[in-house]
Amino acid sequence: MQSPTRRQILQASAGGAFCAALGLPALRLPRARAQSAPGVATQQLRANLYVLTVGGNNVLAQTAPGGAVLVDGASAADSPALLDAVAGLPDSGPVTTLFNTHWHAEQTGSNEVLATSGATIIAQENTRLWLTTDIVWPWNGQRFEPLPEAAQPNLTFYDDGELDSGVRYGYLRHAGHTDGDLYVHFPDENVLAVGGAASGAGWPLVDWWTGGWIGGVVGTMEMLLALTDADTRIVPAHGRILSRADVEAQLEMYNTIYARLAGLLNSGRGPDEAVDARPTQEFDAEMGPPEEFVRRAFESLWAYLSPDA
Ligand SMILES: [Zn+2]
């Protein structure tokens, strides 16, 4: 059988003909089901809140006919598919507000197109500053150019703020992932979006080049506990949705690792020796290969704690 073209899939998916072409029974879909866009997985969290996952990056979308709110915008390459998927959500309107949880390219790839259509782009001020600067990560040489001026956040804050709808946002000031991390809290739905400040898929990146550090990961977990209750759903930039119990477990884990790395630093060890000491060993089965995480976390201690830093 010839592969169907994208157009045929789009035409067929409305009526179930694509399922028939593959010999599958047509799916009975509830009327309000979100239309799927290619490459975008959609998960409904609450009545008007959806997590869209594209290219491994989570985006939280709050829909309303008057305008949608997005927390993060995926990469520039994935932005068209993401925005198609948002437009296909029930009760969706144009995207009027976009949060950048931090400056990374996997979060800020929709800035340009949404700024052009008049959206408010909200970020902590440090995130805006990183987006105006050339950045080269010293650990792998990866380079990031500044965003065009029109694509930069156009509403920044230092501590916290609130939308007219009651959605609150604030600075995760301990700097676990970068020094511009923010959270967005939907109090009526009891959902908290936290970007890269927590991970639902293995070890996080401690981006010490732009201000993150392992002590900040610990402080961030404490702050997330203060912002949540047992029923809160916590949406990270990558991986599964977390509960408060997950954050409690992560706090304990990162506290342990932080103490071990600080001990290694204080006894004069370097990053290679920190990796060899296996400071994460009892967590690796769940979290995955730790070497990159341990190196960045150890280097972050150099950046934060060394007397000449
Ligand atoms: Zn990130």
Side-chain angles (χ1 to χ4, degrees):
M1 190 179 85
Q2 263 194 325
S3 297
T5 64
R6 181 171 181 275
R7 175 180 291 275
Q8 283 167 338
I9 292 172
L10 291 175
Q11 286 173 341
S13 60
F18 183 51
C19 296
L22 292 175
L24 301 171
L27 299 170
R28 283 169 194 251
L29 302 176
R31 290 171 63 93
R33 185 181 183 277
Q35 287 181 332
S36 57
V40 182
T42 302
Q43 180 183 358
Q44 184 167 16
L45 278 192
R46 307 290 196 219
N48 62 339
L49 277 181
Y50 300 83
V51 176
L52 302 134
T53 305
V54 58
N57 301 298
N58 291 334
V59 170
L60 184 64
Q62 183 188 42
T63 56
V69 175
L70 294 190
V71 183
D72 285 330
S75 68
D78 289 328
S79 172
L82 170 70
L83 297 179
D84 272 358
V86 172
L89 294 173
D91 294 325
S92 194
V95 176
T96 52
T97 304
L98 169 69
F99 286 94
N100 291 158
T101 59
H102 59 292
W103 70 268
H104 288 163
E106 299 85 10
Q107 278 71 42
T108 51
S110 293
N111 279 34
E112 192 158 3
V113 64
L114 290 179
T116 304
S117 67
T120 302
I121 302 179
I122 302 176
Q124 208 277 341
E125 174 63 11
N126 288 341
T127 291
R128 188 190 67 81
L129 290 171
W130 290 123
L131 290 170
T132 65
T133 312
D134 254 315
I135 292 170
V136 182
W137 277 339
W139 50 85
N140 64 5
Q142 196 173 350
R143 170 181 288 272
F144 303 91
E145 293 184 350
L147 287 187
E149 195 173 339
Q152 291 167 10
N154 50 35
L155 178 63
T156 65
F157 68 97
Y158 288 95
D159 296 317
D160 49 41
E162 188 171 336
L163 303 181
D164 291 342
S165 62
V167 170
R168 299 181 197 127
Y169 52 93
Y171 184 30
L172 292 167
R173 70 182 79 85
H174 301 280
H177 188 54
T178 72
D179 66 9
D181 298 348
L182 68 73
Y183 68 83
V184 185
H185 186 211
F186 298 80
D188 294 341
E189 294 86 359
N190 202 5
V191 169
L192 186 73
V194 300
S199 175
W203 296 110
L205 169 66
V206 179
D207 181 357
W208 58 265
W209 187 250
T210 61
W213 77 298
I214 183 66
V217 175
V218 173
T220 297
M221 293 300 139
E222 289 171 341
M223 198 168 166
L224 297 186
L225 291 181
L227 288 163
T228 53
D229 62 35
D231 298 321
T232 309
R233 306 197 76 183
I234 301 158
V235 181
H238 309 286
R240 67 183 178 87
I241 311 304
L242 303 172
S243 68
R244 190 172 196 276
D246 291 322
V247 175
E248 281 172 346
Q250 289 197 9
L251 170 61
E252 198 176 320
M253 175 179 75
Y254 290 123
N255 249 325
T256 301
I257 296 166
Y258 174 54
R260 287 174 185 166
L261 291 176
L264 288 161
L265 180 80
N266 289 334
S267 57
R269 309 296 165 81
D272 288 340
E273 293 159 306
V275 170
D276 289 345
R278 303 189 62 204
T280 61
Q281 57 181 311
E282 69 268 46
F283 310 112
D284 292 345
E286 188 190 339
M287 298 295 284
E291 181 173 341
E292 287 299 306
F293 167 71
V294 172
R295 284 187 187 281
R296 298 295 89 73
F298 188 86
E299 291 160 358
S300 81
L301 289 178
W302 266 346
Y304 265 78
L305 301 182
S306 294
D308 58 351

